[in-house]
Amino acid sequence: MAKRKVPEINSGSMADIAFLLLIFWLMTTSMNVDSGIARKLPPLVEQENDPGMDAHERNVLMVFVSGNNQLLVAGQRMDISGLCEKTKIFITNPTNDPNMPEKEITEIPLLGNFPVSKGIISLQNDRGTSFETYLRVQNELTRAYNEVKDDLAQQKFGRAYSDLNDEQRKAINKAIPVKISEAEPRNLTGGK
């Protein structure tokens, strides 16, 4: 018996078909995009004449998250649920407490002379801190700033911060600047 020859498959068009399938898949598939923490980084400054580098102790709120996910705020143990309120009081210093942040009267368009806080939140995490706890702390700090901005927008413009026009938002952002300093995580509590 003679062997039959198997016809060859034309593989020239296989690459075209694979390419078309790939294009179809890319066009019809939605990909999940990881979301991050929205933070505007401060501009790069010369360290020689930076007045922000010489912050008084009263102007800094130390927030530390341990490797055991425990929160220390100004040296006191605290539950994360209380961080927002503590931060709001620190930012606004409503009673002008001499142990709380100083305020500097600043001319702000639409607001006039406004007392702007010199307060800075200093956040330090241990390398063992869980990502979930880290995000919860970040969310509480962000929520505190957002609520203070919303309160000021209601007071000055009678509307929520999200309903303000660009010029009004700029004024509120100058009056309530977000100042969060985050140090690189370290192995501070032993362990990991």
Side-chain angles (χ1 to χ4, degrees):
M1 271 201 191
K3 279 189 168 181
R4 284 177 67 194
K5 238 183 167 182
V6 178
E8 289 185 26
I9 298 175
N10 182 0
S11 61
S13 62
M14 292 293 262
D16 293 337
I17 292 170
F19 182 70
L20 288 173
L21 286 172
L22 178 64
I23 296 293
F24 175 77
W25 180 79
L26 288 173
M27 297 298 284
T28 58
T29 303
S30 62
M31 295 188 192
N32 292 337
V33 178
D34 290 337
S35 59
I37 299 170
R39 286 279 184 264
K40 181 178 180 185
L41 296 176
L44 186 60
V45 291
E46 297 292 327
Q47 286 190 337
E48 298 169 11
N49 299 326
D50 181 20
M53 295 300 284
D54 188 27
H56 292 96
E57 187 175 323
R58 74 181 259 191
N59 292 334
V60 179
L61 179 65
M62 299 294 294
V63 177
F64 173 70
V65 186
S66 73
N68 300 330
N69 299 318
Q70 295 176 336
L71 184 66
L72 291 175
V73 179
Q76 303 286 322
R77 194 176 268 198
M78 178 182 281
D79 189 68
I80 292 176
S81 62
L83 181 59
C84 178
E85 201 57 40
K86 176 83 172 176
T87 304
K88 285 170 58 174
I89 291 169
F90 178 80
I91 295 167
T92 58
N93 187 5
T95 60
N96 289 321
D97 184 339
N99 297 318
M100 299 282 279
E102 300 170 87
K103 295 179 182 178
E104 181 178 11
I105 302 298
T106 306
E107 175 66 32
I108 299 174
L110 302 179
L111 300 179
N113 288 333
F114 190 84
V116 177
S117 175
K118 291 185 177 183
I120 300 169
I121 310 294
S122 178
L123 178 60
Q124 174 73 55
N125 296 292
D126 186 272
R127 287 198 190 279
T129 302
S130 74
F131 190 68
E132 179 184 337
T133 302
Y134 172 78
L135 281 179
R136 286 181 61 207
V137 168
Q138 286 284 351
N139 286 340
E140 289 301 304
L141 294 175
T142 301
R143 188 176 88 172
Y145 275 102
N146 289 343
E147 287 181 10
V148 170
K149 287 180 180 187
D150 205 44
D151 291 345
L152 184 60
Q154 287 286 352
Q155 179 187 353
K156 295 293 184 179
F157 303 113
R159 290 185 279 174
Y161 177 79
S162 60
D163 296 334
L164 299 179
N165 64 37
D166 287 342
E167 194 174 325
Q168 292 169 328
R169 281 188 190 171
K170 284 180 186 174
I172 296 294
N173 289 338
K174 277 190 173 186
I176 313 291
V178 177
K179 295 181 181 177
I180 300 175
S181 170
E182 189 170 349
E184 187 169 333
R186 299 185 201 163
N187 289 329
L188 298 173
T189 57
K192 301 177 184 179

